[in-house]
Amino acid sequence: QKEVEQNSGPLSVPEGAIASLNCTYSDRGSQSFFWYRQYSGKSPELIMSIYSNGDKEDGRFTAQLNKASQYVSLLIRDSQPSDSATYLCAVNGGGSNYKLTFGKGTLLTVNP
Amino acid sequence: NAGVMQNPRHLVRRRGQEARLRCSPMKGHSHVYWYRQLPEEGLKFMVYLQKENIIDESGMPKERFSAEFPKEGPSILRIQQVVRGDSAAYFCASTTGQEDEQYFGPGTRLTVT
């Protein structure tokens, strides 16, 4: 059974700091990796996708992928109180079925 | 959730009643995924549909749950004879089928009393 594990939270950082979120996955055939942000009571919002080894940067967000280690991470620089949310790591196995397997999420709190 | 519509946003049903959840994909999207999020748990895949076809229903309970995506109209997730354990948030996401980034609708929060 495919599994996605995220570092247990909650994670608390001061405003302006770097928040680091981690995720491991069990299926070596996985090809696509995503980070979603979910505010309490809201739906998941896609913030990053990454497909190849290395880093991908988008504004204050950097996703890192290491397929050999089956590891994905998300760094949030200059964290803001508005970044406080649950961050979900999601993985799909590729092919033509894009169903996602999600981790349970890490709750991030950014303190002003 | 750019353009994916779900209704109703909140649904209350008594045990034994039927629940019908609707999802209208983004314009131009013909692939729909349904996920369920139980309280304090992660999102779990339920079913993947294309127009008039169920592609993968491996995540859907065998009994009481069914899904369809007709040629015209929204995709519908139907839960018959609801039980308290069905209380959850149900989300759908859509894609064109040519890419794999999924954008979620606002969800339907089902409460079974």
Side-chain angles (χ1 to χ4, degrees):
Chain A
Q1 184 170 345
K2 299 176 184 179
E3 294 184 350
V4 177
E5 302 284 342
Q6 295 187 239
N7 53 328
S8 59
L11 176 65
S12 182
V13 300
E15 185 175 355
I18 295 175
S20 177
L21 303 160
N22 303 313
C23 173
T24 59
Y25 58 94
S26 63
D27 181 8
R28 281 199 172 274
S30 299
Q31 297 183 14
S32 306
F33 308 86
F34 307 92
W35 285 98
Y36 285 84
R37 177 175 62 198
Q38 188 175 28
Y39 293 110
S40 180
K42 302 296 185 182
S43 63
E45 174 190 6
L46 179 64
I47 54 172
M48 289 289 283
S49 58
I50 187 165
Y51 302 93
S52 53
N53 283 328
D55 295 357
K56 179 181 177 182
E57 187 175 317
D58 184 0
R60 295 185 297 111
F61 298 98
T62 299
Q64 299 173 317
L65 173 61
N66 184 326
K67 288 187 178 181
S69 300
Q70 295 175 244
Y71 174 87
V72 192
S73 68
L74 179 70
L75 299 177
I76 306 174
R77 290 181 299 283
D78 188 23
S79 295
Q80 302 297 310
S82 58
D83 295 327
S84 298
T86 296
Y87 288 80
L88 304 172
C89 174
V91 175
N92 82 34
S96 59
N97 184 340
Y98 299 138
K99 67 180 180 183
L100 297 174
T101 301
F102 282 86
K104 289 190 175 181
T106 300
L107 177 62
L108 171 67
T109 301
V110 180
N111 301 303
Chain B
N1 55 9
V4 180
M5 306 292 289
Q6 288 188 252
N7 66 81
R9 298 289 297 277
H10 299 275
L11 182 62
V12 179
R13 285 288 179 265
R14 287 195 291 270
R15 280 179 297 170
Q17 290 185 319
E18 178 178 289
R20 285 190 178 225
L21 288 61
R22 287 177 290 277
C23 169
S24 296
M26 288 177 62
K27 186 176 181 180
H29 286 194
S30 59
H31 297 234
V32 167
Y33 299 77
W34 285 93
Y35 296 84
R36 177 167 67 174
Q37 188 170 39
L38 292 165
E40 308 305 324
E41 292 199 16
L43 279 157
K44 302 288 186 187
F45 166 79
M46 299 183 73
V47 62
Y48 164 35
L49 309 105
Q50 297 176 16
K51 287 279 188 183
E52 301 184 280
N53 281 305
I54 297 174
I55 306 302
D56 181 350
E57 56 184 345
S58 60
M60 200 153 66
K62 295 285 188 288
E63 298 181 357
R64 301 188 298 107
F65 286 72
S66 62
E68 63 176 2
F69 189 13
K71 185 177 180 180
E72 301 291 337
S75 175
I76 296 176
L77 180 67
R78 180 182 180 205
I79 311 172
Q80 295 179 291
Q81 299 176 324
V82 295
V83 301
R84 288 218 172 108
D86 296 332
S87 295
Y90 292 82
F91 295 99
C92 77
S94 71
T95 71
T96 63
Q98 300 303 312
E99 83 300 313
D100 59 358
E101 291 187 345
Q102 293 185 21
Y103 295 91
F104 284 78
T108 294
R109 281 149 183 84
L110 172 66
T111 302
V112 179
T113 61

